[in-house]
Amino acid sequence: MSGTTMVVMIVFISVGFGVMYDMYKKHLEFKHRTLTDNKESNNQITAVTAEMLALKERVQTLEAIVTDQSYSVKQEINKL
């Protein structure tokens, strides 16, 4: 093998490993970003679920008030 061929092969191997290392770093950054985004999404889902449950309780309370017989009687009295 000639000296020029060895130099070219060393350059190609060095560049190849450099590219592979950069790709690996980008993969790790993407993985970290994905995990962080998933945590934020889970926090948002938890908050929305808690708010939805609170609103369901409020709606149930309002339905109980509106369907109560004394409420309709009050409305009829107020109309008079």
Side-chain angles (χ1 to χ4, degrees):
M1 195 183 271
S2 70
T4 309
T5 307
M6 282 181 45
V7 169
V8 170
M9 290 196 52
I10 290 172
V11 168
F12 279 139
I13 291 172
S14 299
V15 170
F17 279 119
V19 168
M20 287 175 30
Y21 178 71
D22 285 341
M23 288 173 57
Y24 181 69
K25 282 185 0 184
K26 293 290 182 185
H27 171 71
L28 290 179
E29 289 173 8
F30 175 75
K31 192 173 181 181
H32 176 70
R33 197 171 354 122
T34 302
L35 290 174
T36 304
D37 290 346
N38 285 342
K39 288 178 185 176
E40 291 175 8
S41 295
N42 288 342
N43 290 341
Q44 288 177 349
I45 289 171
T46 304
V48 169
T49 303
E51 184 178 357
M52 184 184 67
L53 291 174
L55 289 173
K56 279 185 178 181
E57 289 177 16
R58 289 181 66 186
V59 168
Q60 287 176 348
T61 303
L62 289 172
E63 286 175 347
I65 291 171
V66 170
T67 57
D68 189 17
Q69 291 293 331
S70 62
Y71 181 78
S72 61
V73 172
K74 272 186 194 177
Q75 281 188 333
E76 290 179 18
I77 291 172
N78 288 337
K79 285 181 184 178
L80 296 174

